[in-house]
Amino acid sequence: MANRLAHEKSLYLRQHAENPVDWYPWCEEAFQRALQEDKPIFLSIGYSACHWCHVMERESFADPEVAQVLNEHFVCIKVDREERPDVDAFYMQACQAITGHGGWPLTIIMTPSKLPFFASTYFPKTDRYGRPGLLTLLRQIAELWRTRRQDLLSYAQRVVEFLRTHRQPLGSHPTSELLQRAYEQLERQYDPRYGGFGGAPKFPMVPQLLFLLRWWYRTGESKALQMVEHSLQQMRFGGLYDHVGFGFHRYATDERWRIPHFEKMLYDQALLLLAYAEAYQIRPSPLWAQTVREVIAYCERELLAPEGAFYTSEDADSAGEEGAFYLWSDAELRHLLSDQEYEFLRFAFGVEPYGNLPELGQNHLFQTAPWEALGEHFGLATEALQHLWETIRQKLFAYRRRRVPPQRDEKVLTDWNGLMLAALCTAARSLGDERYQAMASRTAGWFLRCWKEHGTLFHCYADGSWSVPGLLDDYAFLLWGLVELYGTQLDVAVLEAALQIGQQLRERFWDSAAGAFYLTSPSTNELPLRYREDADGATPSGAAVACWNFLRLAYITGDTQWQTWAEEALAAAPTTVQEVPMAFPGLLIALDMAHGPTSEICFLAETPSDGLSKLIQEAHRHFLPRSVFLGAVGKDVVESFRRLAPAYTQYPLLPEPAAYVCVDGACQRPVTTAESLRELLPIRQAE
């Protein structure tokens, strides 16, 4: 018999609908019941693409013995972290404060008033290797709740008080010295052999890569660019990348990027797409362009919803096994391929007769060397070798399509789509591909129609309706995407929407008394504290992205109010940024822009034309991280643009398309050719 989760919109919650656990979704009814029955809350947080979340569900939550203990002694709540990132963020912060680490599935035990007194992650059902199992834990806590409740309540109060007070703001504008120190810390953490930072497990850490590109642009430090390019190459060659169907898995379990956890998340596709597109602007490597095109092809094929937004993720598991969709037995490969094709795959993609995952007897493909080196080994030109691989890839892809696919989580998240919008625009500019611009415009249009209809943003869309009021990251990441879209296609209506959403962001999430951005607005917060996060995780901090884009809106419009708001946000950074600046790359990107020099590149034209396109393409193809693109096309549209950006009223509309370039307030005469524009752009050439 299905429990209460059967009718939830979240795929993750519905995956627990057949559990014998008497689950509630996050709702007031659950907390009222806990009060009435005088029981603690057992809160479990995860997401549908999480392998260990599925393991804990099968081992424990589907088990009648565990369910009996949970139902007798606790009120049980299940939360999808992607649907309720505010709930997840607060209790993950509590878990890190209590245990020093975090992760999913997240296990929290708390009072009926939502104060946590126990936190951890995955538990097996029974005791294992000296670690208590879930049954042992539950029985011990039930006994403590009965006999030593006051101790638990006092501890919960101390946890929340620590969360309330442990982050103190700088109180002043951080100095540019932080940029240097962050670079030095990242250089020490860098893995010179395999790329990336630290050892296994290895995450892409894209915000740090984006910061390093900007540090190279500021200083010309070749090591910073080399660290990024090496990491991008190693990730692309490794098993983190799906060489058959494209797209990136979540993270690698080994230091060489070869064996991943197999879930694919939209935000990883978006952020890595950004990194490869920006790297291509610096050094137009065919591998970077190919990666950009393939990642977009994957997202379009597997994650694009009919309305133009993008779905959330694909699961790590299929047919009940992690990675089953992606792995290959030696027998399968020999059956599918000719002898020549098999020998190529064996050498070039790490195939072993007993599997490169010998414990499973399976192979996961990773490229063992660059194409040029492989060509030398096989005595073939690079083009011929790549043609051979494409023939093999299509055979493998067609065969793989016959397998049980990973389950797709078809909820739509505003914040992750904002990242994808920014990435598509960057890819469109970098590669000069108008189709990517059209995809971005369609995605933005769908979210803007919702925003105009409701006057607000929501976080989650599923089963035909919106839920969860918009959070800081929803506003900040969509704002980022809209600023990128305006700079890509110069649609003044997009700029107007960005300005209004930016205003709403400031009004709803900035706390003037505390001097900080919070994840929730005061009217929608359901937690013991309003949560703030300035450090970056898998995605950039929403507060940092808001700050950076406030600066860009200041340069686009000439309105100093945006500058003031950005400076206040920088001063709100926690004091820990002084100790570990490498943990705050999003903030450092904003700080880099705040310290300049910055440039505005304004395009004005009476009508679209080839001449205008050439001007825009010339500016777009370069890596100009402290520049903003602005302007308008058409007499009436130019007047609308000038109302939004009165600082540019004095720029005349010439008979032919023109570009105006200003660097740190010093404006040059208009130019009308790509060649003359290039001479004015603040370009740094890679060595």
Side-chain angles (χ1 to χ4, degrees), residues 10 16 78 184 191 249 276 287 293 302 310 325 360 364 379 410 426 471 561 618 672 679:
S10 161
H16 293 74
K78 174 62 72 172
E184 291 170 353
D191 179 348
H249 299 294
Y276 284 96
L287 182 62
R293 295 190 187 282
E302 303 295 349
F310 290 86
F325 185 72
L360 300 177
H364 181 55
E410 293 189 353
T426 306
L471 304 165
Q561 181 66 75
E618 180 59 40
T672 57
E679 294 177 1

Short mmCIF file of all heavy atoms in Angstrom, two decimals, residues 10 16 78 184 191 249 276 287 293 302 310 325 360 364 379 410 426 471 561 618 672 679:
data_model
loop_
_atom_site.label_atom_id
_atom_site.label_comp_id
_atom_site.label_asym_id
_atom_site.label_seq_id
_atom_site.Cartn_x
_atom_site.Cartn_y
_atom_site.Cartn_z
N SER A 10 7.79 15.21 -6.87
CA SER A 10 9.20 14.83 -6.92
C SER A 10 9.37 13.35 -7.26
O SER A 10 8.80 12.48 -6.59
CB SER A 10 9.87 15.12 -5.57
OG SER A 10 11.07 14.40 -5.43
N HIS A 16 10.04 6.46 -3.10
CA HIS A 16 9.88 5.92 -1.74
C HIS A 16 8.42 5.68 -1.40
O HIS A 16 8.08 5.42 -0.24
CB HIS A 16 10.49 6.88 -0.72
CG HIS A 16 11.99 7.00 -0.82
ND1 HIS A 16 12.61 7.68 -1.84
CD2 HIS A 16 12.99 6.50 -0.04
CE1 HIS A 16 13.92 7.62 -1.68
NE2 HIS A 16 14.18 6.91 -0.60
N LYS A 78 10.62 12.81 4.32
CA LYS A 78 11.54 12.61 3.19
C LYS A 78 11.55 13.88 2.34
O LYS A 78 10.50 14.41 1.99
CB LYS A 78 11.08 11.41 2.35
CG LYS A 78 11.85 11.17 1.07
CD LYS A 78 13.32 10.86 1.31
CE LYS A 78 13.56 9.51 1.91
NZ LYS A 78 15.03 9.19 1.94
N GLU A 184 47.40 31.15 -5.29
CA GLU A 184 48.49 30.39 -4.64
C GLU A 184 47.94 29.13 -3.95
O GLU A 184 48.57 28.07 -4.00
CB GLU A 184 49.21 31.29 -3.64
CG GLU A 184 50.01 32.41 -4.31
CD GLU A 184 50.52 33.44 -3.33
OE1 GLU A 184 50.15 33.36 -2.14
OE2 GLU A 184 51.27 34.35 -3.74
N ASP A 191 46.78 19.08 -9.06
CA ASP A 191 47.42 17.80 -9.36
C ASP A 191 48.13 17.94 -10.71
O ASP A 191 47.49 17.90 -11.76
CB ASP A 191 46.35 16.70 -9.44
CG ASP A 191 46.94 15.34 -9.77
OD1 ASP A 191 48.12 15.26 -10.16
OD2 ASP A 191 46.21 14.34 -9.66
N HIS A 249 29.62 12.90 -16.34
CA HIS A 249 29.12 12.33 -15.09
C HIS A 249 29.50 13.26 -13.94
O HIS A 249 30.27 14.21 -14.10
CB HIS A 249 29.70 10.94 -14.88
CG HIS A 249 29.33 9.95 -15.95
ND1 HIS A 249 28.05 9.53 -16.15
CD2 HIS A 249 30.09 9.32 -16.90
CE1 HIS A 249 28.01 8.67 -17.16
NE2 HIS A 249 29.24 8.53 -17.63
N TYR A 276 34.59 25.06 -21.05
CA TYR A 276 35.15 24.72 -22.35
C TYR A 276 34.92 25.84 -23.36
O TYR A 276 35.79 26.11 -24.21
CB TYR A 276 34.56 23.40 -22.86
CG TYR A 276 35.14 22.19 -22.18
CD1 TYR A 276 34.49 21.59 -21.10
CD2 TYR A 276 36.35 21.63 -22.59
CE1 TYR A 276 35.03 20.48 -20.45
CE2 TYR A 276 36.90 20.52 -21.96
CZ TYR A 276 36.23 19.95 -20.89
OH TYR A 276 36.76 18.86 -20.26
N LEU A 287 39.35 20.40 -29.87
CA LEU A 287 38.80 19.55 -28.83
C LEU A 287 37.83 20.31 -27.95
O LEU A 287 36.80 19.78 -27.53
CB LEU A 287 39.93 18.97 -27.97
CG LEU A 287 39.50 18.01 -26.85
CD1 LEU A 287 38.79 16.78 -27.44
CD2 LEU A 287 40.69 17.59 -26.00
N ARG A 293 30.06 21.29 -28.43
CA ARG A 293 28.98 20.82 -29.31
C ARG A 293 28.39 19.50 -28.80
O ARG A 293 27.17 19.29 -28.85
CB ARG A 293 29.49 20.68 -30.73
CG ARG A 293 29.92 22.00 -31.37
CD ARG A 293 30.19 21.86 -32.86
NE ARG A 293 30.76 23.08 -33.42
CZ ARG A 293 30.04 24.17 -33.71
NH1 ARG A 293 28.74 24.18 -33.48
NH2 ARG A 293 30.63 25.25 -34.22
N GLU A 302 18.70 14.46 -24.39
CA GLU A 302 18.24 13.74 -23.22
C GLU A 302 17.57 14.60 -22.15
O GLU A 302 16.80 14.08 -21.34
CB GLU A 302 19.42 12.99 -22.57
CG GLU A 302 20.14 12.03 -23.49
CD GLU A 302 19.28 10.85 -23.93
OE1 GLU A 302 18.19 10.66 -23.37
OE2 GLU A 302 19.71 10.12 -24.85
N PHE A 310 15.09 22.73 -19.39
CA PHE A 310 15.89 21.51 -19.29
C PHE A 310 15.55 20.75 -18.00
O PHE A 310 15.40 21.35 -16.94
CB PHE A 310 17.38 21.84 -19.32
CG PHE A 310 17.86 22.32 -20.65
CD1 PHE A 310 17.78 23.65 -20.99
CD2 PHE A 310 18.37 21.43 -21.59
CE1 PHE A 310 18.20 24.11 -22.24
CE2 PHE A 310 18.80 21.87 -22.83
CZ PHE A 310 18.71 23.21 -23.16
N PHE A 325 24.14 1.02 -17.52
CA PHE A 325 23.86 1.54 -18.86
C PHE A 325 25.14 1.86 -19.62
O PHE A 325 25.18 1.80 -20.85
CB PHE A 325 22.99 2.79 -18.74
CG PHE A 325 22.54 3.36 -20.06
CD1 PHE A 325 21.58 2.72 -20.83
CD2 PHE A 325 23.08 4.56 -20.54
CE1 PHE A 325 21.16 3.26 -22.04
CE2 PHE A 325 22.67 5.09 -21.74
CZ PHE A 325 21.70 4.44 -22.50
N LEU A 360 33.79 -6.16 -11.38
CA LEU A 360 32.52 -6.32 -12.08
C LEU A 360 32.66 -7.09 -13.38
O LEU A 360 31.66 -7.48 -13.99
CB LEU A 360 31.90 -4.94 -12.39
CG LEU A 360 31.59 -4.04 -11.19
CD1 LEU A 360 31.07 -2.69 -11.68
CD2 LEU A 360 30.58 -4.70 -10.26
N HIS A 364 34.72 0.42 -18.56
CA HIS A 364 34.20 1.78 -18.77
C HIS A 364 35.20 2.50 -19.65
O HIS A 364 36.41 2.46 -19.40
CB HIS A 364 34.04 2.51 -17.44
CG HIS A 364 33.50 3.90 -17.60
ND1 HIS A 364 32.32 4.16 -18.25
CD2 HIS A 364 34.00 5.11 -17.21
CE1 HIS A 364 32.09 5.46 -18.24
NE2 HIS A 364 33.11 6.06 -17.62
N GLY A 379 49.66 4.52 -36.85
CA GLY A 379 50.13 4.88 -38.19
C GLY A 379 49.04 5.46 -39.06
O GLY A 379 49.02 5.26 -40.28
N GLU A 410 12.39 14.47 -14.30
CA GLU A 410 11.82 15.45 -15.22
C GLU A 410 11.25 16.68 -14.53
O GLU A 410 10.40 17.37 -15.09
CB GLU A 410 10.76 14.77 -16.09
CG GLU A 410 11.37 13.73 -17.03
CD GLU A 410 10.39 13.19 -18.05
OE1 GLU A 410 9.19 13.51 -17.97
OE2 GLU A 410 10.84 12.44 -18.94
N THR A 426 27.17 31.72 -23.77
CA THR A 426 28.63 31.75 -23.89
C THR A 426 29.08 30.87 -25.05
O THR A 426 29.98 31.24 -25.82
CB THR A 426 29.28 31.31 -22.58
OG1 THR A 426 28.78 32.10 -21.50
CG2 THR A 426 30.80 31.46 -22.64
N LEU A 471 14.02 30.97 -4.73
CA LEU A 471 15.09 31.18 -3.77
C LEU A 471 16.16 32.10 -4.37
O LEU A 471 16.11 32.42 -5.57
CB LEU A 471 15.70 29.84 -3.38
CG LEU A 471 14.69 28.82 -2.82
CD1 LEU A 471 15.30 27.43 -2.81
CD2 LEU A 471 14.25 29.21 -1.41
N GLN A 561 23.37 52.76 -8.51
CA GLN A 561 22.73 52.00 -7.44
C GLN A 561 23.17 50.54 -7.46
O GLN A 561 23.41 49.92 -6.42
CB GLN A 561 21.21 52.09 -7.57
CG GLN A 561 20.45 51.35 -6.48
CD GLN A 561 20.65 51.99 -5.11
OE1 GLN A 561 20.10 53.04 -4.80
NE2 GLN A 561 21.47 51.35 -4.28
N GLU A 618 33.11 39.74 -33.88
CA GLU A 618 34.49 40.03 -33.52
C GLU A 618 34.63 40.19 -32.01
O GLU A 618 35.58 39.67 -31.40
CB GLU A 618 34.97 41.30 -34.22
CG GLU A 618 36.40 41.69 -33.91
CD GLU A 618 37.41 40.60 -34.29
OE1 GLU A 618 37.24 39.97 -35.36
OE2 GLU A 618 38.36 40.38 -33.52
N THR A 672 33.52 51.10 -37.20
CA THR A 672 32.51 50.46 -38.05
C THR A 672 33.02 49.19 -38.74
O THR A 672 32.27 48.58 -39.50
CB THR A 672 32.03 51.46 -39.13
OG1 THR A 672 33.17 51.91 -39.89
CG2 THR A 672 31.34 52.66 -38.49
N GLU A 679 41.28 46.33 -32.59
CA GLU A 679 42.37 47.13 -32.05
C GLU A 679 42.01 47.78 -30.71
O GLU A 679 42.89 48.11 -29.92
CB GLU A 679 42.78 48.20 -33.06
CG GLU A 679 43.39 47.62 -34.34
CD GLU A 679 43.70 48.71 -35.36
OE1 GLU A 679 43.46 49.90 -35.04
OE2 GLU A 679 44.20 48.37 -36.46
#
